[in-house]
Each structure stands twice: as C-alpha cells, then as structure tokens.
Amino acid sequence: MKLQQLIPVLMINILLAPISAGNFYQDFMVNWGNAKIEENGELLTLALDEASGSGFQSINEYLFGKIDMQLKLVPGNSAGTVTAYYLSSKGSNWDEIDFEFLGNLSGDPYILHTNVFSQGKGNREQQFYLWFDPTADFHTYSILWNPQHIIFSVDGIPIREFKNLESIGVPFPKNQPMKIYSSLWNADNWATRGGLVKIDWSQAPFYASYRNFNANACYMNNGESSCNSEESPEWLFDFARQGQMKWVQDHYMIYNYCKDSPRFPQGLPAECYVSN
C-alpha cells in the first residue's frame, strides 16, 4: 500500500492561546556563525564552511505546543554535515526534543535522527530514511509536545511517538520550558558512516534554508504561561494516524534503540516494553 493511500483528511485539535505565524526577524536571533535572514524575514539561511558553522534560536521559550518549520537541506555531497532542529531547556538536567539530519554522499539518502532527553538523559534514538529528497524542496518537520506524549511528524505524517510513562518510572519532559534551536555544523567525526566519510571542503560553503515557522504553543514570560491552566495542546492521534506511523516505521525506520539489546546489557529501557 502506498503512503498516499494512508493519508486521509487529518484533524488537528489544538486548544492554545497564541498562534504565531513566524517572521524570523521577530521570532529568532542568530546566535553564531554566518546565518542570514532574508526576504523581509520570511527566509533564514544557515551556512557552513571551514571557518565556522552557524545557528539560531528562538526569542520565546515554550511549555507545550506544536512547532512547525519548513527546511530544505544541504544538497549534493553533504557527508559529514549535520543540520539540527530541536527544542531544548537549559541546565545540567535539561530536556530536549531532537530532529537531526545527517548528511551523506551524493545520491545516498539523508538519515533523519530523532532523540528525546529528559532530566539530562537521552539515549532514545530512532533513525529513518525519508521517502523524498529533502534537498530538492522545503518540507515541514513538526514537534507536537503536550503532557501526554511527544509526536514527531514530517509533512503532517507522524513518524514517532514518545509517550508519558511516568507511571512506570520513565522521566518525561513536562516542567522545563524550552527554546527552539537550529544549527548547521561540522560533525564529520561521527555523522556519516560513523565518521569514516569526511566533509569535502571543496564543495563548501554548504547551505540549509528555513521558512514558514509556526508555533501553536504556550509561551513563557517571567515564569507565567500564555495559556490558561485548563488549556493544553491536543492532537487527534486516531487509528488513521497510527496506521501512517506504522507504515513509516515498517518501511523507513533504520534504527530503534528499543531493538538494540546489546547496547543495554542490563535490559532495555522500561518504555521499550510498552510503546516502542
């Protein structure tokens, strides 16, 4: 069955206070390297060369919401480069929700790397190939984060769910507000084939582009949430969406920490026996 046959008209029900259809001048700041905001704030471009990568972060921090961003990744021989797009809090016991795009040789697929950190602990990686060329055009990468679960999606198609399983002792990120970060950087010590393939600097500079940021989210201001206490981001994760996610995982998942028993000689993490 083709993926398109699993995509019905999808319903999203999000009860939130602000909806921010973003402008990069208003919503983000360049925090290092050679990033450019162009087209009246509608486009942001990160660059990587031998001297430096680049990155940006949101001005606001959020506690729950649905964050959408369209990305177009480094084309051609992107081996050794990583484009990261993620939510993160601060401190030694930080929370983090990651998309990372691992570059590859021309003609080979990108690897989409996902991870969830809670209270400074990660090691919850799942990796996927994509069913399209992410360098040819912009595609939407979304994080839905609420007290019940975290859902990663691509062009509206869920690829991963991380449930709140605090009831069985699994920490879940729900108390620390997070900012949005993105960066393009040199990771050729590990990114492509475990670091065997290095960056070809003759192809530099490398560029990744961003547009159409949207935050349907609760943002924090002086410790106060913009959402009322009874409001929370919700998503209709119905049978159709679960079918889409299973299809992606059956056909495009290439690594799941919950299937990597040698990595966890004392036993797989508790959540692996419930939801992964």
Side-chain angles (χ1 to χ4, degrees):
M1 181 178 290
K2 294 182 178 180
L3 181 61
Q4 289 79 0
Q5 294 174 286
L6 287 169
I7 307 174
V9 177
L10 303 178
M11 297 175 61
I12 297 177
N13 175 26
I14 302 177
L15 303 175
L16 299 170
I19 297 177
S20 170
N23 180 286
F24 286 109
Y25 283 125
Q26 298 172 358
D27 296 310
F28 293 91
M29 57 182 291
V30 173
N31 54 356
W32 63 288
N34 299 316
K36 292 183 179 180
I37 300 175
E38 304 171 289
E39 298 182 9
N40 297 316
E42 300 299 319
L43 179 71
L44 191 151
T45 302
L46 294 182
L48 168 66
D49 58 25
E50 282 191 271
S52 177
S54 51
F56 64 89
Q57 69 180 60
S58 64
I59 294 170
N60 289 320
E61 57 182 4
Y62 305 90
L63 187 61
F64 306 132
K66 183 170 182 287
I67 307 297
D68 304 314
M69 185 81 79
Q70 289 194 329
L71 281 74
K72 183 163 68 171
L73 301 179
V74 175
N77 182 0
S78 59
T81 71
V82 167
T83 306
Y85 158 55
Y86 59 103
L87 300 175
S88 182
S89 63
K90 296 291 189 180
S92 58
N93 293 316
W94 79 101
D95 295 338
E96 186 171 318
I97 305 170
D98 290 345
F99 276 114
E100 289 186 302
F101 303 89
L102 313 185
N104 219 326
L105 294 169
S106 298
D108 290 341
Y110 263 80
I111 293 175
L112 171 53
H113 176 100
T114 66
N115 203 353
V116 176
F117 287 75
S118 183
Q119 301 176 18
K121 182 181 178 181
N123 298 325
R124 300 183 176 108
E125 302 91 344
Q126 290 184 357
Q127 295 182 340
F128 304 82
Y129 289 141
L130 294 166
W131 50 93
F132 53 82
D133 179 357
T135 74
D137 203 352
F138 287 89
H139 291 268
T140 302
Y141 303 90
S142 304
I143 295 169
L144 184 284
W145 169 39
N146 66 25
Q148 291 75 45
H149 55 189
I150 295 163
I151 296 173
F152 298 80
S153 61
V154 178
D155 289 336
I157 301 163
I159 64 170
R160 177 179 183 179
E161 179 186 23
F162 185 81
K163 296 178 181 177
N164 184 338
L165 294 172
E166 291 175 303
S167 61
I168 61 169
V170 179
F172 185 84
K174 68 173 188 179
N175 297 314
Q176 299 187 72
M178 297 195 259
K179 289 189 174 183
I180 303 164
Y181 297 87
S182 193
S183 58
L184 174 59
W185 52 292
N186 173 4
D188 70 3
N189 62 323
W190 67 272
T192 306
R193 294 181 59 198
L196 294 177
V197 183
K198 304 299 183 181
I199 291 179
D200 179 0
W201 291 111
S202 71
Q203 305 297 312
F206 303 97
Y207 296 101
S209 301
Y210 302 72
R211 71 180 187 189
N212 290 342
F213 162 69
N214 188 77
N216 195 349
C218 303
Y219 63 86
M220 302 297 290
N221 185 20
N222 295 322
E224 298 292 329
S225 174
S226 63
C227 298
N228 296 325
S229 58
E230 68 271 13
E231 293 178 323
S232 65
E234 298 176 359
W235 205 48
L236 184 61
F237 197 48
D238 57 14
F239 179 79
R241 286 188 184 275
Q242 292 175 16
Q244 294 165 22
M245 186 172 70
K246 184 179 186 304
W247 192 93
V248 171
Q249 293 183 353
D250 287 348
H251 291 81
Y252 292 98
M253 180 183 283
I254 59 171
Y255 178 80
N256 181 358
Y257 74 110
C258 282
K259 306 294 185 183
D260 193 352
S261 297
R263 183 180 173 189
F264 301 98
Q266 304 304 315
L268 293 170
E271 67 269 18
C272 296
Y273 297 100
V274 178
S275 62
N276 291 285

